[in-house]
Amino acid sequence: MKKIRLVCTYAIAFICIMAAISLPKNEIEVFKSTTHDMEDKILIYMMNEENQLVPVTLNYQKSDSDCESILQLFQLMKHEIGSYDLKALIPVSIQCLGVAIQDKLVQLNFNEAFFTMSSQIELRVIEAIVSSIVQLDESYQVEFLVNQKPIEKMPLSALPMQTFDYTLGVNNFSLDTSQLHQSVSRSIIELHEDEESHYYMVMTRRYPSSQSLLDFVNEVVDQTSLSLECQRIEIEEDRVALHLNEAFLAEEDVVEARVVLPLLYTLKMNQIGSSFLLYVNDEQVWMEGSSQYDLTFEDLNLNIFEE
């Protein structure tokens, strides 16, 4: 019965993806597709033309166990989307032979094809698998095995392997650990825009451990425009008030959504608040497209596919 449910899940997810292909690209800012008979959402990763990971949120039928969910995630990341220049992340030759979970340690056993990945994608595959798994339980640690033997390093690139957790992040520039004791890993949400597609990216960077939250926020917004500035941050429990300069405004009392949303998503992803208030010149302002001042993100569902 479980196998039948698993096959049905793959089939529904595939139909969901294919339905998205027919959507006109110019009618949506960030691509979406859902099925309406499933309430659970799962995040997977696809790859763009620059070999960067792109998060994609799908609705799916939740499995009875995390082991089954992990197998679902793995299979979904082998499917082609055929839209927005995204491609399947995991080569079809790679098979996950089994998943075992004990005391928060997730062991993934693969066939020998896992050793044949090119050096350009193997780190991205590892990042995507780890990041997808820890969404099920942030305390999970992930160990990679081939034919039941733990991998010490990848044979083609000599990439060092270890037991990874959520701090691995995605789209890392390197796995250099020489400065780990002086820095922290943070995930940054960026909006990718070109003439044909618009979607959110997740980039992982390391920042000095001593860096203040205000300095971190301003370093993030500087990536969008040097004219943007967060002047003050106030935090009460899980609510964050951001005092911004006038460069954030799209019009009087309205902040431009495409500018501020990546910052809010970044704070949410790094567990710095789940609801946000925006101020300019000490006056509360709206976010473009929102009908309320209090911006709440219970779940961070990026790049949702929607019929």
Side-chain angles (χ1 to χ4, degrees):
M1 183 64 181
K2 290 182 179 179
K3 290 183 178 179
I4 295 175
R5 290 182 60 193
L6 193 61
V7 171
C8 290
T9 297
Y10 298 154
I12 294 172
F14 181 73
I15 292 171
C16 153
I17 292 172
M18 294 304 294
I21 298 175
S22 61
L23 288 175
K25 294 181 182 180
N26 60 354
E27 292 184 2
I28 49 180
E29 179 177 352
V30 178
F31 59 84
K32 298 183 174 181
S33 169
T34 64
T35 53
H36 301 293
D37 57 343
M38 290 191 249
E39 297 180 355
D40 299 305
K41 290 184 173 63
I42 200 73
L43 184 143
I44 65 170
Y45 289 91
M46 309 301 290
M47 186 173 285
N48 65 14
E49 290 184 333
E50 289 76 37
N51 287 337
Q52 293 178 318
L53 298 178
V54 179
V56 176
T57 300
L58 296 173
N59 281 21
Y60 85 125
Q61 179 66 50
K62 188 175 182 179
S63 297
D64 294 333
S65 71
D66 281 359
C67 287
E68 287 188 1
S69 293
I70 291 168
L71 288 171
Q72 290 178 351
L73 289 166
F74 181 81
Q75 292 297 330
L76 288 170
M77 285 190 285
K78 296 174 75 171
H79 283 296
E80 290 284 353
I81 285 184
S83 184
Y84 298 95
D85 296 323
L86 299 182
K87 55 188 177 182
L89 173 66
I90 299 176
V92 294
S93 60
I94 297 178
Q95 301 296 322
C96 185
L97 304 178
V99 179
I101 302 176
Q102 186 174 7
D103 296 330
K104 302 299 182 179
L105 177 63
V106 179
Q107 292 182 310
L108 305 175
N109 184 38
F110 296 98
N111 64 347
E112 292 185 357
F114 194 82
F115 285 146
T116 65
M117 286 186 291
S118 69
S119 58
Q120 287 80 16
I121 72 164
E122 62 182 20
L123 176 56
R124 298 295 172 250
V125 170
I126 292 166
E127 288 175 333
I129 291 173
V130 172
S131 182
S132 297
I133 288 174
V134 298
Q135 72 181 299
L136 304 175
D137 188 328
E138 198 173 73
S139 63
Y140 275 159
Q141 296 182 314
V142 182
E143 183 179 31
F144 291 82
L145 299 85
V146 167
N147 293 332
Q148 297 294 347
K149 294 181 179 180
I151 305 171
E152 295 183 0
K153 66 179 180 180
M154 298 298 287
L156 297 182
S157 67
L159 176 72
M161 297 291 286
Q162 59 191 57
T163 300
F164 298 110
D165 60 19
Y166 75 95
T167 61
L168 176 61
V170 297
N171 291 321
N172 268 288
F173 292 104
S174 72
L175 285 180
D176 179 25
T177 60
S178 61
Q179 300 296 320
L180 287 183
H181 64 291
Q182 298 177 347
S183 62
V184 293
S185 175
R186 294 190 186 276
S187 296
I188 311 301
I189 308 297
E190 299 177 353
L191 179 60
H192 168 91
E193 295 181 284
D194 57 36
E195 294 181 355
E196 297 183 353
S197 61
H198 307 265
Y199 53 80
Y200 290 108
M201 297 280 299
V202 183
M203 309 296 290
T204 299
R205 299 186 176 94
R206 301 203 70 85
Y207 293 87
S209 302
S210 58
Q211 186 180 51
S212 69
L213 176 59
L214 182 61
D215 287 342
F216 166 67
V217 166
N218 278 311
E219 194 164 336
V220 171
V221 299
D222 280 350
Q223 301 300 312
T224 302
S225 172
L226 293 176
S227 65
L228 301 174
E229 181 186 3
C230 180
Q231 299 167 331
R232 190 168 79 255
I233 301 175
E234 299 168 343
I235 301 178
E236 184 177 348
E237 295 182 349
D238 208 28
R239 176 176 290 181
V240 178
L242 300 172
H243 292 259
L244 310 171
N245 70 346
E246 294 181 355
F248 278 88
L249 295 175
E251 54 185 275
E252 186 178 1
D253 298 330
V254 179
V255 169
E256 190 173 358
R258 63 175 294 277
V259 173
V260 77
L261 267 178
L263 172 60
L264 302 185
Y265 288 161
T266 294
L267 294 175
K268 168 67 176 178
M269 174 161 277
N270 289 282
Q271 301 180 347
I272 305 171
S274 60
S275 67
F276 303 91
L277 301 173
L278 305 177
Y279 294 85
V280 173
N281 295 329
D282 291 325
E283 296 290 334
Q284 197 163 15
V285 295
W286 303 90
M287 184 185 74
E288 190 177 38
S290 175
S291 59
Q292 56 188 14
Y293 285 121
D294 197 336
L295 304 171
T296 302
F297 305 103
E298 294 182 2
D299 297 299
L300 193 57
N301 299 315
L302 299 173
N303 303 330
I304 304 174
F305 279 101
E306 182 175 332
E307 291 180 319

